[in-house]
Amino acid sequence: MKTKRILIPTDFSVSSLNVLKTVLGSNLHGEKYDIILLHGIRMNDSISDLLFFSKNNLLRSVSNPEFDHALMVLKNKYASSIQNIRSDVFTGYNQSAFNSYLEANRIDEAYVSENYCHAKAGKQSFDVSPYILKSNLKVNGVRLATQEIPEKGQVAEILLNSVPAR
Amino acid sequence: MSTQLKATVLLFVSLFSLIVLISGFVYLSVSNYAYDDFYKLLEIRALTYAKIEIEKDTSSYARQMAEIKNEYFEKLPLEQVVAISAEPGKSFAGYADRMKLPPSFFNEIIAKGKAEYNNSSLFYKGIYYKSGATPYIIIASAQNYFETHHKAYLKKTLILAVALTFLLAFFISYFFSRSVFNPITKITERVKQISSENLHLRLPEQSKGDELGTLTRTFNDMLDRIETSFETQNNFISNASHELRTPLTAIIGEGDVALAKLRTSEEYIDTIKVMLEEAEKLEKKTKALLFLAQTGFNGKIQKFEKVRIDQLLWDVKDTIEKINPQSKIHIDTTMLPENPRKLKVRGNEQLLHLAFTNIIMNACKYSNYQTVDISIGASDTKVFIAIKDTGIGIPPNEVKYIYDPFFRASNTNNYEGYGIGLPLTQNIIRIHGGEIHVSSIENKGTTVQINLPVGEFDF
């Protein structure tokens, strides 16, 4: 079976992984996914920053251990339906840059939460969902439960959150 | 030898030896240069003399030289130029004797063409000069003005400079090391004053960013922790004795009342029943305390083996449902990893069983036996267990005290408990290298997240 490459916007909070969990949890046909978690960062255009640009360092600066562990929990849970999963940063400024990003990475589909408000992981972070919605990509909306829970932001959130009906 | 003295001496010695070295270098190089210069001067004198005196009739060039010499050459003190004809085989011993020069001086001139010699302040330069076929030895001599005057002055200046530097270096190193070590001495004095009676004392924090500021802050942080643990210990003892005394008082009271007069056998049975109940309570409490003490020690080695967390939790569920049949526990298996190897941790099964029983029983108790959700998941390095209830929660300002022994939140008055369970659980989780996080919203529920390191077993 062909692997489906999907794009999910993330803000490196455990809550944002609920979208991923919903997607993987509703995968009843045993499809395989190649997942890209995309985070938008406005790059500083100074020459020295460009010179020392490293995507790994950038990702490390916005990520956090809770998120990494929660992602690993999901990865272990859905090991058979995940071909590959990686985080990526989008540093473009406009829609056409985003469109070429989609083309370059051969994205098949995107999943966007309809009611989750992205937090700012770093100073220069931005939400890529508007770009996704404006692109020609097939976009699936996901609704997340939004009640107040004590375990917000911990790995427990992803453990306890039961998959909502789509 | 104190560090301050050591630093003073080190600084002083290095400063002083540096100055001495520089002075020596200056003295040697200046006098060397002056000697060379003077010998060159003498050589020019000798050459001019040769041109003027020996070849005086043959060239007009010699006359011009003589004019220049008379006009511009400065007369050196004790200047004297002597020309000696030097036919091969001639002995210079007589000249040497008369001019108080060593014979080797003459030999060197014959052999090398030139030679230098100095006798205290008198300097000699000899050259070998050939005019036509006749060879000559020309010896120019003069008193070196530098040697007689400047050198002594230079020596005096340098010695004075070295002496001054000695004093200066001494003062600089003394005050420098004092200014460096003064704050440390102050800190030491201040710390000496702090004992178990006045643990509230803190070091004054003056400078912010430097190392001493950090040292002061570290000391103060340590004192904070020591003070807290002192207080906790004091509280623990008073709380423990209070907890143990309550059932004892009840037993003694019952016994006193029963013995006051003769009773019927039913009354005795009732009294003994009450006493037994209280004694059982006492036993439970001492048992819990003993466990707390045992797990608190790091010195005791517990036997660690392979434990599968999901199995353990099913066991715990069975145990709790046996103890209290109205408990509703739901173990959510949707997040279990596909690879069961990731669920195995290295641990002591009895202790972990006790820890999870405590947490889950609390969850059941404080939610009035509504459903408690348990979910298990594993990342590559840790196993995560989340226990969620929809109970009374913990007031936000009391969350930080929940691990203190005998602490009970202000909203738990309707529930029975001693406040030993959570500290005990924390101890057990700590022994296993794990972490416990309690997050709560008052009146909505509490979630306990426990993570334990994965055991890395092969099967």
Side-chain angles (χ1 to χ4, degrees):
Chain A
M1 186 179 281
K2 187 183 169 289
T3 27
K4 214 193 240 176
R5 187 168 287 190
I6 59 172
L7 184 76
I8 297 172
T10 184
D11 60 355
F12 293 103
S13 69
V14 176
S15 311
S16 72
L17 283 173
N18 281 324
V19 179
L20 178 63
K21 187 180 171 180
T22 313
V23 175
L24 293 168
S26 56
N27 170 25
L28 303 171
H29 311 294
E31 254 180 304
K32 266 191 158 312
Y33 290 112
D34 188 352
I35 301 153
I36 295 175
L37 297 171
L38 191 63
H39 184 72
I41 291 180
R42 295 243 180 267
M43 277 291 291
N44 196 337
D45 45 11
S46 88
I47 188 109
S48 55
D49 277 16
L50 285 173
L51 191 63
F52 296 109
F53 175 77
S54 146
K55 193 188 266 182
N56 282 340
N57 282 347
L58 198 60
L59 279 171
R60 220 172 294 142
S61 73
V62 285
S63 188
N64 57 73
E66 275 307 300
F67 175 84
D68 294 340
H69 278 298
L71 185 59
M72 260 193 277
V73 168
L74 281 176
K75 211 166 141 183
N76 286 331
K77 160 66 190 157
Y78 298 105
S80 58
S81 50
I82 296 173
Q83 170 89 12
N84 182 32
I85 187 162
R86 66 185 166 97
S87 308
D88 201 3
V89 282
F90 173 66
T91 53
Y93 286 96
N94 50 33
Q95 185 67 40
S96 61
F98 188 74
N99 288 344
S100 31
Y101 176 88
L102 294 182
E103 206 176 323
N105 287 286
R106 292 193 297 275
I107 308 285
D108 298 316
E109 271 181 45
Y111 287 83
V112 177
S113 78
E114 289 162 358
N115 52 353
Y116 177 70
C117 188
H118 275 254
K120 272 185 165 236
K123 258 192 216 150
Q124 304 293 322
S125 297
F126 65 92
D127 183 11
V128 289
S129 313
Y131 286 137
I132 296 177
L133 293 174
K134 263 194 238 166
S135 69
N136 304 326
L137 210 62
K138 187 190 166 199
V139 180
N140 304 284
V142 176
R143 283 204 78 79
L144 301 175
T146 50
Q147 78 239 44
E148 209 184 350
I149 40 170
E151 65 270 20
K152 191 132 202 98
Q154 293 183 3
V155 180
E157 182 179 353
I158 210 81
L159 289 178
L160 291 166
N161 169 309
S162 48
V163 179
R166 255 204 312 141
Chain B
M1 199 185 208
S2 71
T3 319
Q4 182 175 353
L5 190 60
K6 240 187 258 175
T8 315
V9 169
L10 197 71
L11 195 67
F12 172 73
V13 167
S14 50
L15 271 178
F16 186 65
S17 54
L18 212 66
I19 289 297
V20 168
L21 263 175
I22 289 173
S23 308
F25 180 72
V26 165
Y27 179 77
L28 282 180
S29 76
V30 165
S31 55
N32 218 1
Y33 173 77
Y35 279 22
D36 277 357
D37 199 50
F38 197 71
Y39 280 127
K40 262 180 210 151
L41 202 68
L42 286 179
E43 191 178 343
I44 291 170
R45 295 285 151 117
L47 269 174
T48 1
Y49 179 85
K51 292 271 187 232
I52 296 167
E53 298 298 327
I54 298 172
E55 302 185 16
K56 103 174 100 177
D57 309 321
T58 48
S59 74
S60 60
Y61 175 66
R63 267 203 306 281
Q64 282 169 12
M65 288 279 277
E67 268 168 35
I68 290 171
K69 188 194 164 210
N70 290 336
E71 211 159 314
Y72 297 108
F73 277 27
E74 188 194 345
K75 190 90 178 140
L76 296 171
L78 302 178
E79 184 182 331
Q80 197 181 10
V81 187
V82 184
I84 305 160
S85 64
E87 291 89 15
K90 185 176 176 180
S91 163
F92 298 100
Y95 293 106
D97 217 29
R98 206 166 342 118
M99 292 171 81
K100 292 189 184 107
L101 284 170
S104 60
F105 179 69
F106 290 94
N107 299 340
E108 201 186 330
I109 295 173
I110 302 291
K112 288 186 187 161
K114 54 175 80 174
E116 288 159 0
Y117 175 74
N118 75 325
N119 175 12
S120 70
S121 65
L122 264 180
F123 281 63
Y124 297 86
K125 174 98 187 188
I127 55 167
Y128 187 75
Y129 186 84
K130 227 170 176 173
S131 166
T134 21
Y136 290 97
I137 282 176
I138 299 162
I139 298 169
S141 69
Q143 195 181 39
N144 192 345
Y145 189 73
F146 172 81
E147 180 74 16
T148 51
H149 295 80
H150 293 178
K151 202 173 170 181
Y153 181 71
L154 182 69
K155 213 188 266 175
K156 229 165 44 190
T157 316
L158 286 176
I159 287 174
L160 192 73
V162 166
L164 275 177
T165 330
F166 181 88
L167 286 177
L168 216 65
F170 181 77
F171 281 115
I172 286 175
S173 39
Y174 176 70
F175 284 108
F176 175 79
S177 65
R178 215 177 70 160
S179 77
V180 165
F181 285 97
N182 225 9
I184 296 182
T185 324
K186 263 190 203 154
I187 289 174
T188 319
E189 272 167 15
R190 187 84 186 169
V191 171
K192 264 187 202 156
Q193 292 170 6
I194 301 173
S195 65
S196 59
E197 279 85 47
N198 48 8
L199 267 178
H200 59 278
L201 281 184
R202 290 292 177 272
L203 302 174
E205 288 185 33
Q206 305 122 330
S207 40
K208 285 274 174 246
D210 61 356
E211 290 83 353
L212 286 171
T214 324
L215 181 70
T216 321
R217 236 169 300 129
T218 317
F219 257 125
N220 283 346
D221 285 352
M222 198 181 72
L223 285 171
D224 281 344
R225 284 199 301 274
I226 292 177
E227 196 184 2
T228 332
S229 73
F230 254 72
E231 267 166 24
T232 321
Q233 204 155 14
N234 283 340
N235 278 343
F236 181 86
I237 292 169
S238 68
N239 282 330
S241 38
H242 177 77
E243 284 292 325
L244 297 178
R245 238 182 53 197
T246 321
L248 275 178
T249 321
I251 291 171
I252 292 168
E254 284 286 328
D256 270 348
V257 172
L259 287 177
K261 60 172 189 176
L262 219 55
R263 311 264 176 193
T264 62
S265 52
E266 284 86 32
E267 278 172 330
Y268 281 125
I269 290 172
D270 280 347
T271 309
I272 291 170
K273 260 187 191 161
V274 172
M275 284 169 130
L276 186 66
E277 221 170 78
E278 293 296 326
E280 269 170 359
K281 255 189 213 167
L282 193 61
E283 200 219 352
K284 244 191 221 169
K285 280 177 188 172
T286 40
K287 224 182 190 173
L289 276 175
L290 193 66
F291 237 127
L292 184 63
Q294 274 174 350
T295 52
F297 286 129
N298 286 331
K300 279 223 169 121
I301 301 155
Q302 282 91 8
K303 212 178 141 213
F304 274 34
E305 65 243 315
K306 182 169 63 182
V307 179
R308 233 186 104 150
I309 284 295
D310 51 342
Q311 255 163 21
L312 179 81
L313 285 172
W314 286 107
D315 288 347
V316 170
K317 179 178 147 83
D318 281 350
T319 315
I320 293 173
E321 278 168 354
K322 242 180 253 166
I323 296 173
N324 204 333
Q326 45 179 332
S327 318
K328 280 192 228 94
I329 299 163
H330 171 242
I331 296 184
D332 176 25
T333 53
T334 52
M335 291 309 285
L336 280 179
E338 290 181 357
N339 183 354
R341 198 193 293 176
K342 299 218 161 81
L343 285 173
K344 285 172 187 161
V345 301
R346 194 181 285 279
N348 183 305
E349 191 160 356
Q350 277 80 38
L351 285 180
L352 284 176
H353 194 282
L354 179 72
F356 284 111
T357 314
N358 262 327
I359 295 281
I360 297 167
M361 266 170 87
N362 274 350
C364 292
K365 186 163 72 185
Y366 293 116
S367 63
N368 294 317
Y369 300 101
Q370 289 173 19
T371 310
V372 172
D373 285 297
I374 301 170
S375 184
I376 312 161
S379 73
D380 290 349
T381 52
K382 286 175 181 172
V383 181
F384 291 88
I385 303 106
I387 297 147
K388 184 184 171 76
D389 68 61
T390 48
I392 56 170
I394 303 162
N397 53 345
E398 292 175 15
V399 168
K400 55 185 175 223
Y401 303 117
I402 55 173
Y403 299 115
D404 294 350
F406 299 110
F407 173 80
R408 301 204 65 216
S410 53
N411 54 356
T412 57
N413 293 335
N414 299 331
Y415 302 89
E416 214 179 306
Y418 316 124
I420 297 178
L422 206 49
L424 177 62
T425 306
Q426 195 199 23
N427 277 352
I428 293 172
I429 299 298
R430 261 196 207 151
I431 291 172
H432 289 82
E435 284 171 75
I436 176 165
H437 297 284
V438 176
S439 39
S440 182
I441 299 173
E442 201 177 354
N443 296 324
K444 277 212 158 166
T446 306
T447 302
V448 181
Q449 178 188 313
I450 294 170
N451 55 45
L452 292 165
V454 172
E456 311 280 341
F457 292 103
D458 286 337
F459 50 87

